[in-house]
Amino acid sequence: MNESKSFDVIEEIIKKRGVTSRIFANREILHPDYVPDVLPHREGEIKKLAEILVVSAKGEKPSNVLLYGLTGTGKTVVSKYVVKKLVEKASSIGSNLGYAYVNTRKLDTPYKVLASIASSLGLRIPYTGLAISEVYRKYINALENWSGLHIVILDELDYFVKRNGDDLLYKLLRINEDLSKSRVSIIGITNNLYFVENLDPRVRSSLGEEEIFFPPYNAEQLYTILKQRAEKAFHPGVIDDSVISYCAALAARENGDARRALDLLRVAGEIAERENALVISIEHVKKALAEVEEGRVNQVIATLPLQQKLVLKVAVNLATRKGFTTTGEVYSVYLEEARRRGLEPLSQRSVSQVLSQLDMMGILIAEVRSMGRHGLTKVIKVKEEVAKLVEKALADT
Ligand SMILES: Nc1ncnc2c1ncn2[C@@H]1O[C@H](COP(=O)(O)OP(=O)(O)OP(=O)(O)O)[C@@H](O)[C@H]1O
Ligand SMILES: [Mg+2]
């Protein structure tokens, strides 16, 4: 190929694909970490959280807050939004308000969490090497020198406590006893509705002094959320309201998860772009659904410990074979399977909780049904597409 020919090839690609996207005006807007200026349908939760924190900022005894609700209901985005707004406000009137946001699933040891909290006050803490009590002491000193209210957001707290126990949480919840000039308010966030039940009562009462529940979004609410983002994310005329509605309806069917809805929209846009289309169609959304679904199932499964994978595998096998199964049935087959593999089996209660969690994560469908004089039981079903993805992901388990 001579030089001018290869240049033609590049020219051709640029012409076909465009250097700037024909679909996206600003891709960032659909990124999961993007915090929009307005959060529709969360006015109540925003107000409640702001009120609790404002009281703390006025010097009264700070309350700790627990935010809970299913995945994609806006807990993370609302907490960041409120805290950032309050910090801006405080700095404009010269009052000392600071915050630390820690995703405790990512920073998954007490050391990392505490170091990250302390570093938000400008402390430099090495990655390793100090005793945790030393890091705590440095944080206390920094707080006292600074004197203000420090809001500490501990996101995805259930993962952290499951892994590390509740020692650090307990210490942080009582930190005000060690302080005279500063105060700390903790915002704990979880999407595991059983998390609180399993906490030590002392921790529970202190963390849950105030609680805010985030209900799932319905299709109409998801529509407003998507519409607001789509207007900025795509070029004019690229997406029709009916296509946005379709995304919203699909996501509403699946737990009312706004993250899912936004993912669908973004991936549909990417598919349209790959196919060189000028507009995003329903077909693009259907293709996006398959991609997003596979990604999601694999991601959930990747985080499950072996025993939970086993429970899932058994449940999916039984449910696909017969259309549905029950907790009792899953438990007895799981028990045999665990013993056969030389594993210490989980209790029936734990297995039942694992099944409920898989339901919350949108992998299984668990419904409590009355079986007449046999009492209540959980009926477990799984959607065919999901069953296939689970089987594929668990083939080696
Ligand atoms: N009311 C809303 N308006 C606009 N965007 C929203 C709203 N609620 C959620 N979102 C968006 O949906 C996505 C998911 O929200 P968020 O991360 O806050 O969910 P979450 O409740 O923390 O979920 P998880 O429990 O899985 O962490 C984010 O990209 C967020 O910006
Ligand atoms: Mg979150």
Side-chain angles (χ1 to χ4, degrees):
M1 211 190 299
N2 68 34
E3 224 170 81
S4 80
K5 259 212 181 120
S6 52
F7 183 74
D8 287 348
V9 175
I10 297 170
E11 187 86 314
E12 187 63 17
I13 295 173
I14 292 174
K15 225 171 36 198
K16 229 166 113 189
R17 299 295 298 257
V19 210
T20 51
S21 170
R22 288 195 292 195
I23 297 285
F24 291 100
N26 185 356
R27 236 175 264 269
E28 273 305 293
I29 308 270
L30 296 177
H31 191 275
D33 291 340
Y34 176 81
V35 179
D37 303 332
V38 229
L39 297 169
H41 310 296
R42 283 298 176 249
E43 295 81 6
E45 291 78 6
I46 289 172
K47 188 160 173 259
K48 196 164 171 196
L49 182 59
E51 270 164 5
I52 296 166
L53 297 174
V54 163
V55 168
S56 303
K58 279 200 268 177
E60 290 166 37
K61 177 186 160 299
S63 291
N64 303 309
V65 199
L66 178 70
L67 310 186
Y68 69 107
L70 295 181
T71 190
T73 51
K75 303 178 296 294
T76 300
V77 76
V78 163
S79 65
K80 284 185 178 170
Y81 179 90
V82 170
V83 170
K84 280 187 185 155
K85 288 260 179 259
L86 289 178
V87 169
E88 277 168 27
K89 183 83 202 153
S91 78
S92 75
I93 56 170
S95 113
N96 262 355
L97 182 65
Y99 80 100
Y101 170 86
V102 190
N103 182 319
T104 64
R105 175 141 77 135
K106 291 196 183 128
L107 297 183
D108 58 353
T109 65
Y111 187 95
K112 285 188 203 158
V113 169
L114 199 54
S116 163
I117 296 171
S119 69
S120 73
L121 283 180
L123 285 179
R124 282 222 213 117
I125 310 278
Y127 287 129
T128 51
L130 298 182
I132 189 134
S133 55
E134 178 73 8
V135 183
Y136 183 78
R137 208 181 46 75
K138 281 178 184 285
Y139 176 45
I140 295 276
N141 287 342
L143 279 166
E144 289 295 71
N145 288 331
W146 172 72
S147 53
L149 173 68
H150 202 215
I151 299 172
V152 176
I153 307 174
L154 299 173
D155 205 352
E156 316 226 16
L157 197 50
D158 47 314
Y159 285 89
F160 180 82
V161 170
K162 205 165 177 184
R163 238 184 121 119
N164 301 291
D166 60 9
D167 287 355
L168 178 67
L169 185 57
Y170 184 64
K171 215 166 167 52
L172 286 174
L173 289 167
R174 301 185 53 160
I175 196 165
N176 291 308
E177 294 171 10
D178 291 337
L179 294 169
S180 58
K181 298 197 193 98
S182 276
R183 296 173 315 283
V184 173
S185 250
I186 308 285
I187 302 178
I189 305 180
T190 174
N191 61 22
N192 179 343
L193 308 184
Y194 300 90
F195 169 65
V196 195
E197 266 178 41
N198 292 330
L199 276 179
D200 182 300
R202 299 167 308 174
V203 175
R204 182 179 174 170
S205 64
S206 172
L207 179 64
E209 275 171 341
E210 300 276 0
E211 291 186 0
I212 305 177
F213 173 65
F214 285 64
Y217 296 111
N218 63 30
E220 270 167 60
Q221 295 174 325
L222 288 172
Y223 174 81
T224 343
I225 293 170
L226 291 183
K227 173 86 178 158
Q228 172 213 38
R229 301 281 267 263
E231 273 169 358
K232 292 188 184 158
F234 300 118
H235 288 300
V238 162
I239 192 158
D240 199 67
D241 283 354
S242 63
V243 180
I244 299 180
S245 266
Y246 185 68
C247 284
L250 286 179
R253 224 176 53 189
E254 310 279 343
N255 289 336
D257 173 347
R259 184 181 300 109
R260 253 348 250 289
L262 286 163
D263 282 348
L264 268 179
L265 201 62
R266 194 195 66 247
V267 175
E270 281 163 3
I271 292 172
E273 192 169 54
R274 280 205 298 265
E275 294 183 358
N276 256 318
L278 290 171
V279 295
I280 303 173
S281 68
I282 298 271
E283 279 315 306
H284 294 137
V285 179
K286 285 186 183 158
K287 286 184 192 164
L289 181 67
E291 265 185 38
V292 169
E293 190 71 358
E294 175 154 14
R296 190 183 63 90
V297 169
N298 290 340
Q299 206 180 4
V300 169
I301 288 175
T303 65
L304 297 179
L306 177 63
Q307 292 268 21
Q308 301 195 7
K309 283 189 180 141
L310 205 53
V311 172
L312 175 60
K313 190 168 185 164
V314 167
V316 167
N317 277 342
L318 288 169
T320 34
R321 218 175 326 132
K322 311 195 308 176
F324 74 94
T325 181
T326 60
T327 312
E329 206 171 44
V330 171
Y331 187 66
S332 66
V333 175
Y334 155 80
L335 210 55
E336 272 173 38
E337 194 56 33
R339 289 199 178 120
R340 200 173 59 77
R341 297 175 185 221
L343 297 170
E344 180 70 34
L346 302 173
S347 67
Q348 178 148 0
R349 189 178 131 84
S350 301
V351 167
S352 173
Q353 277 197 2
V354 171
L355 292 170
S356 301
Q357 273 174 33
L358 289 166
D359 173 50
M360 290 190 309
M361 297 192 235
I363 302 286
L364 300 172
I365 305 157
E367 285 161 10
V368 177
R369 266 209 215 142
S370 158
M371 304 298 269
R373 63 195 172 80
H374 297 294
L376 294 176
T377 189
K378 220 178 266 158
V379 171
I380 317 281
K381 291 182 193 160
V382 57
K383 277 195 269 155
E384 206 183 307
E385 322 89 79
V386 178
K388 285 202 190 109
L389 294 172
V390 171
E391 276 162 5
K392 194 167 129 199
L394 290 180
D396 301 330
T397 303

